[in-house]
Each structure stands twice: as C-alpha cells, then as structure tokens.
Amino acid sequence: RLDDPSIIDVTNPISISATFADHPLGATYVVAGQLHNWRRYWAAGAAAYQRLINNDGQIFERIGSYTAAGGWKWFLSDSGYPFGWRKILDSGSMTLTDLTRLGVARSGENADITGLSKLTGIASSVKMAANLEVASSIQANYRVGILRPNDYEAYMSFTSRVGKVSADNLPSALTSMGNVYFRLANTLTETDPHAGRALAGFSTAVYPTGEGVMRMEARDETGTSKARIIC
C-alpha cells in the first residue's frame, strides 16, 4: 500500500513499480512512477502529504491525519478517486469526465473541450468572461440566454462611450449609440465575420437635445429597406 508505514512515515521521494491496493486508479493498475512523501512529526492535523506522479503523466495528491484506532483519515477527498486521492488538473490532463465531475460540463455534451467555441453545455455556476477587442466577434453556433433568480427581471445593457454623451455633454449631431444586426453571410468574404448583408436589425441614437431614438428595419435579399419603424 502507498500508506504503508515504511513509505508514508518517511519524508522522502521514492520510485514505485508495482500494483498498490490504494492507488487512485485501482488495485490492478500497474504504476511505474514516483511517490513523494512529506511527514509531519505529529499524527494530528495534516500529518502526511503524498504526491503521486503517475507513469501516464497524471498527478494525484492526498492529505491526511492518523490515529491508531481509525488509521488514516483523508481530507477533501474527490468522489472520482478512492483513498483520499485528488487529481491535479492542468491544461493537458483535463478530460470530459473530469469536467463533468467538477460541475463544469454536463454529461453527454462537450466531446471536444479544446476551446470555448466547442463548449456547448456549461453549468450555471461557472462564469466565463472575455474582453472583445474592436471589430472582434464570437464565431460559433451560440444561443445566448439570460436568467436571473427569484423574481428579478433579466436584462442586457449596452453602453456606448461615443462622444461621451451625458446630460451636460450632448452631441452636436445625431449620434449612433449602438446597433444589433442580423446578417446573411457574404460567401465571397466568408472569412470576415463582419462581412455580409444586414437583413434586419435595430439601432439606437441620441439627438443633440438629449432625446433618444430607436430604429427597427427589415431588408430584402438585395439589401433594399422594406420596412422601418422609428420611435
């Protein structure tokens, strides 16, 4: 066992090549790796810390205290691995199973976790944010939903700093504040996410007097405006 007194009671790295009853991947797993042990003088508290460097590149660790009556008690154990072992996750070792167990992904989805664009199911407790540079876009088949708990209303806010419009600093001319377009991709420049013809959209602007205006517009396949609502 990896918690044998001859191993765990000594602060010392050792080489291991065998099967162990308390290996995180099971008693039949043949390991050819390293085990690093740090032992505290007292048996209470964080009495022992072990780091297991597996032959497949995975790294596991566990921390425990010891009593003669109960043996080793392991802290903060991971339900995915026995005997108090926890897997150290890094960019090279994360699997879909790891993410699902941690609550980052949902089972049955996210077969490819190589980039944010491949993540199709993210748990509600996980938050991701990224600063988009000028003329940048997210190119993926996204459905965006906003849900607020309890009885709070859901909303999205777009704030424009064009012209630094404020109550005491109004623009000298009608100034656009924001636009949302729904485009048909331009096959000649399909690598440009900002190319293509806008078939519909809405925009907002502010007058020099401080009044706001919103336009909604629909166009045909030639790009000609067919309907417009201004309010």
Side-chain angles (χ1 to χ4, degrees):
R1 293 177 60 93
L2 296 171
D3 61 1
D4 185 275
S6 64
I7 296 177
I8 200 169
D9 286 341
V10 181
T11 297
N12 189 33
I14 61 173
S15 297
I16 51 176
S17 299
T19 60
F20 296 90
D22 57 342
H23 191 282
L25 299 181
T28 61
Y29 184 88
V30 180
V31 60
Q34 302 177 41
L35 182 67
H36 295 248
N37 298 279
W38 288 266
R39 186 65 164 91
R40 186 172 180 257
Y41 179 80
W42 293 276
Y49 168 66
Q50 289 187 309
R51 172 168 290 194
L52 172 62
I53 303 173
N54 216 38
N55 43 289
D56 62 358
Q58 296 185 86
I59 302 175
F60 299 89
E61 63 180 8
R62 63 180 178 179
I63 304 171
S65 63
Y66 180 83
T67 62
W72 284 100
K73 175 185 176 182
W74 304 109
F75 304 132
L76 303 176
S77 59
D78 186 332
S79 62
Y81 301 97
F83 305 107
W85 291 107
R86 290 177 287 162
K87 181 179 179 182
I88 297 178
L89 298 177
D90 57 43
S91 60
S93 68
M94 287 188 294
T95 65
L96 177 60
T97 301
D98 294 326
L99 294 179
T100 301
R101 191 176 71 259
L102 294 173
V104 178
R106 291 197 296 265
S107 179
E109 301 187 44
N110 304 325
D112 187 343
I113 59 171
T114 57
L116 293 182
S117 62
K118 307 294 180 66
L119 291 175
T120 56
I122 304 298
S124 60
S125 60
V126 176
K127 300 176 177 63
M128 294 188 303
N131 293 324
L132 298 180
E133 303 298 331
V134 175
S136 62
S137 67
I138 299 175
Q139 300 181 64
N141 185 19
Y142 272 101
R143 289 179 296 172
V144 179
I146 301 175
L147 175 65
R148 296 190 68 186
N150 302 322
D151 294 327
Y152 296 107
E153 76 282 2
Y155 66 89
M156 295 181 67
S157 177
F158 299 86
T159 302
S160 173
R161 299 186 183 276
V162 175
K164 297 181 180 180
V165 177
S166 63
D168 56 354
N169 186 19
L170 295 172
S172 59
L174 182 65
T175 301
S176 174
M177 297 297 293
N179 307 276
V180 176
Y181 294 121
F182 304 90
R183 296 181 181 273
L184 183 66
N186 185 338
T187 56
L188 297 178
T189 57
E190 60 183 8
T191 58
D192 181 359
H194 309 287
R197 185 170 57 253
L199 295 182
F202 57 89
S203 61
T204 60
V206 61
Y207 284 101
T209 58
E211 297 175 344
V213 59
M214 182 178 71
R215 299 185 178 91
M216 299 178 64
E217 185 178 54
R219 304 180 184 185
D220 63 15
E221 66 277 5
T222 67
T224 302
S225 178
K226 303 299 293 184
R228 178 182 291 178
I229 299 175
I230 301 176
C231 57

